[in-house]
């Protein structure tokens, strides 16, 4: 039996719901960098073909509270590769959670009231691009599934980096336990994706 197959099914998976997991001591510098407001340095994609943009657009135009609540509860900012999209999602999700209007004008108002001024100009430009992504409002769950799927795949790149660094720098007596811990984290991420697809996580 391979070592990865030996990862127990039981155990705490709390640190694996997305990319907000605690950074392990063996490989601290391979953790994803937290998204910052107004940072648009991640891939410049056409909003009409970018699942992250389409998810945000659909959420803002959707009047279906069941779908928007489900997406807001299931995703987190770590699921977005673009820091600007992560920031916009946080604003939109907070409005949804508070049962407040979450249309583009309301999102823009939250950004404006935060007092970012010129610093938030890049974020406002991203918002303008997202608004015109032309996503059907009824497709919020569909696009969110794609975002969650991409996030799940990225988590394996991060786990691989951590394993590599642990192999180079970690005490050998801790390596297997560390791999098991990462395996549990990835299993929890897989369970999270499947729960969303099954209609859970509301």
């Amino acid at each position: 039996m391979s070592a990865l197959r030996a990862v127990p099914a039981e155990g705490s998976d709390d640190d694996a719901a997305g990319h907000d997991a605690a950074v392990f001591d063996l490989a601290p510098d391979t953790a994803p960098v937290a998204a910052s407001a107004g940072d648009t340095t991640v891939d410049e994609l056409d909003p009409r073909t970018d699942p992250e943009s389409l998810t945000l657009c659909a959420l803002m135009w959707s009047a279906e509270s069941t779908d928007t609540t489900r997406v807001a509860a299931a995703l987190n900012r770590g699921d977005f590769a673009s820091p600007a999209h992560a920031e916009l999602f946080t604003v939109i999700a907070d409005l949804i959670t508070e049962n407040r209007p979450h249309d583009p004008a309301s999102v823009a108002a939250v950004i404006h009231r935060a007092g970012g001024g010129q610093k938030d100009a890049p974020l406002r430009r991203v918002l303008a691009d997202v608004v015109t992504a032309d996503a059907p409002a009824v497709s919020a769950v569909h696009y969110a599934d794609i975002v969650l799927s991409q996030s799940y795949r990225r988590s394996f790149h991060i786990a691989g980096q951590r394993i590599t660094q642990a192999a180079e720098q970690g005490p050998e007596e801790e390596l297997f336990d560390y791999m098991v811990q990462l395996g549990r984290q990835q299993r929890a991420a897989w369970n999270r994706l499947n729960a969303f697809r099954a209609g859970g996580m509301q």
Side-chain angles (χ1 to χ4, degrees), residues 132-169:
T132 58
D134 200 27
V138 295
S139 298
V141 171
H142 169 71
Y143 292 128
D145 178 271
I146 299 174
V147 169
L148 197 55
S149 175
Q150 292 179 346
S151 173
Y152 173 66
R153 189 169 291 274
R154 281 196 307 274
S155 73
F156 277 90
H157 288 284
I158 296 169
Q161 291 169 354
R162 290 175 173 173
I163 282 285
T164 298
Q165 188 173 359
E168 295 172 350
Q169 302 176 10

Side-chain angles (χ1 to χ4, degrees), residues 22 26 42 58 67 73 93 115 147 154 169 173 180 185 187 191 200:
L26 288 178
V42 178
D67 287 350
V147 169
R154 281 196 307 274
Q169 302 176 10
E173 67 271 14
V180 169
Q185 176 178 329
R187 176 182 285 113
N191 290 341

Side-chain angles (χ1 to χ4, degrees), residues 2-191:
S2 70
L4 287 177
R5 287 185 176 274
V7 175
E10 296 77 21
S12 174
D13 294 326
D14 293 343
D15 60 353
H19 296 264
D20 295 329
V23 180
F24 301 111
D25 291 338
L26 288 178
D29 56 338
T30 57
V33 177
S36 59
D39 185 349
T40 59
T41 58
V42 178
D43 299 337
E44 296 290 340
L45 299 175
D46 185 334
R48 296 168 298 177
T49 60
D50 174 31
E52 294 186 6
S53 296
L54 293 168
T55 298
L56 299 173
C57 180
L59 283 175
M60 286 189 287
W61 291 119
S62 178
E64 178 51 65
S65 61
T66 301
D67 287 350
T68 56
T69 300
R70 179 181 172 199
V71 172
L75 298 184
N76 60 62
R77 64 183 297 145
D79 290 319
F80 292 82
S82 163
H85 291 164
E87 187 68 21
L88 287 177
F89 172 76
T90 300
V91 174
I92 296 168
D94 285 347
L95 290 172
I96 292 171
T97 301
E98 295 166 7
N99 199 27
R100 294 164 56 195
H102 49 88
D103 55 274
S106 299
V107 173
V110 170
I111 296 171
H112 178 73
R113 285 197 300 269
Q118 191 61 31
K119 179 176 70 71
D120 282 334
L123 185 61
R124 292 196 297 271
R125 285 196 295 271
V126 173
L127 174 61
D129 289 339
V130 166
V131 167
T132 58
D134 200 27
V138 295
S139 298
V141 171
H142 169 71
Y143 292 128
D145 178 271
I146 299 174
V147 169
L148 197 55
S149 175
Q150 292 179 346
S151 173
Y152 173 66
R153 189 169 291 274
R154 281 196 307 274
S155 73
F156 277 90
H157 288 284
I158 296 169
Q161 291 169 354
R162 290 175 173 173
I163 282 285
T164 298
Q165 188 173 359
E168 295 172 350
Q169 302 176 10
E172 67 177 28
E173 67 271 14
E174 297 179 12
L175 293 179
F176 181 78
D177 288 341
Y178 183 60
M179 184 178 67
V180 169
Q181 191 173 16
L182 288 175
R184 286 176 172 156
Q185 176 178 329
Q186 293 310 114
R187 176 182 285 113
W190 174 240
N191 290 341

